[in-house]
Amino acid sequence: RSAGEDVNVVVDMTEAGRKFAAPSPAHPVFYLPIVIGYREEGQSIAGEKPPPPAGEILPCFEAALARQGYRMVESTREKPALVVVFAWGSWNPVMVDLPPAPASSDGTSPYGELQNPAVPLNSGDMLGLVAGNTVHNLPWVPDFMTDLDRDAIRSDVNEPHYFALVAAFEWTNVRPHKRVLLWTAKMSIRSTGMWLTEILPAMIEGGGPFFGRETTRRQTVTVPLGPEGRVKLGELHIEAVDEDKLSEQKSPTGKKP
């Protein structure tokens, strides 16, 4: 297992969000949380472990936001400026095979070297997760050339991912049911070969420095992936399990493919 895993981070900002004064730890803004919790989007994958409880994950979001000057309301003396929504889970492509295509006059397939390739039905949703609005800033290149960022995003669209999402709305517009979105931060990582319980706290912490800051290009942060553990309430850290007990609990098929 490698020392770290690459997490993709994109933050989409609205016009209202660009006008909102960015907070800092010295000059914080307060928010009310709305916890959507665990979500499964796209194709279901058999054998997924149960997600971590919301009570263990919310402190991870709270700590990451606090370091950027966003503080959860804890008393009636603190007036909220925002409503912040939290969600996490898995987001997977729904793949379908293209029908066979007739060969062209020169005998070649319109699919190129691929034979009846599979494509994701929910490519728009996957693109929004792994690239967001940054896709509009990718350079145009002709078909016979490659662009590393574009190629990486195109590849990610076809792969299952874990995700964590933070969305900030202006509080003053919540009561009249006219919610104004300010920004949405999306952290994602390919889920093959790992479990959500292993990576989710590190994903949230790694994406924290970008909260409330628009990304013009997709960002990649390397985060540690350690043994599964429990995220304790209070100060954020991961409590590792006993290795002997862990090996006893694992079955021969206990490792995710």
Side-chain angles (χ1 to χ4, degrees):
R1 174 171 285 181
S2 62
E5 302 290 339
D6 290 339
V7 173
N8 296 312
V9 183
V10 293
V11 180
D12 294 337
M13 185 82 69
T14 67
E15 285 299 325
R18 297 185 185 102
K19 297 175 183 178
F20 191 87
S24 68
H27 300 90
V29 297
F30 293 91
Y31 68 89
L32 289 174
I34 295 180
V35 182
I36 294 177
Y38 179 78
R39 297 287 300 271
E40 288 186 4
E41 302 289 347
Q43 183 69 47
S44 297
I45 296 181
E48 191 68 55
K49 286 188 176 182
E56 294 185 359
I57 298 305
L58 185 57
C60 302
F61 286 111
E62 184 179 357
L65 283 163
R67 284 190 284 271
Q68 307 307 314
Y70 297 91
R71 293 176 55 185
M72 188 182 299
V73 168
E74 296 180 350
S75 73
T76 56
R77 293 175 298 178
E78 299 166 343
K79 184 178 180 181
L82 304 172
V83 169
V84 178
V85 177
F86 306 110
W88 59 89
S90 61
W91 208 312
N92 307 315
V94 181
M95 305 299 291
V96 295
D97 293 328
L98 292 178
S104 60
S105 58
D106 60 1
T108 61
S109 169
Y111 297 148
E113 296 180 357
L114 298 176
Q115 297 298 321
N116 303 337
V119 296
L121 284 178
N122 58 339
S123 59
D125 292 338
M126 294 299 300
L127 185 63
L129 173 69
V130 302
N133 290 339
T134 67
V135 70
H136 302 303
N137 300 320
L138 292 173
W140 178 86
V141 294
D143 292 339
F144 61 87
M145 295 180 63
T146 60
D147 176 78
L148 292 179
D149 288 345
R150 187 182 295 274
D151 291 347
I153 290 171
R154 184 182 293 115
S155 177
D156 278 344
V157 166
N158 296 315
E159 297 293 335
H161 280 70
Y162 291 136
F163 77 93
L165 180 145
V166 181
F169 295 83
E170 191 173 2
W171 163 254
T172 55
N173 291 297
V174 173
R175 287 190 178 278
H177 306 289
K178 184 183 178 182
R179 299 184 180 182
V180 174
L181 177 65
L182 301 180
W183 53 265
T184 305
K186 291 166 281 189
M187 291 72 70
S188 62
I189 187 171
R190 293 191 183 191
S191 58
T192 303
M194 66 180 70
W195 302 107
L196 182 61
T197 50
E198 295 176 302
I199 194 64
L200 183 55
M203 288 175 63
I204 297 168
E205 184 174 4
F210 299 95
F211 290 171
R213 294 170 171 80
E214 185 173 16
T215 53
T216 57
R217 298 294 290 266
R218 187 169 75 159
Q219 303 297 309
T220 301
V221 294
T222 302
V223 302
L225 177 64
E228 293 182 87
R230 290 187 295 109
V231 180
K232 284 190 171 183
L233 298 178
E235 184 178 356
L236 173 63
H237 70 281
I238 300 177
E239 179 184 319
V241 299
D242 183 270
E243 292 294 336
D244 294 333
K245 292 182 179 179
L246 182 62
S247 61
E248 292 174 1
Q249 294 172 356
K250 285 187 174 181
S251 64
T253 59
K255 187 174 181 181
K256 190 176 180 182

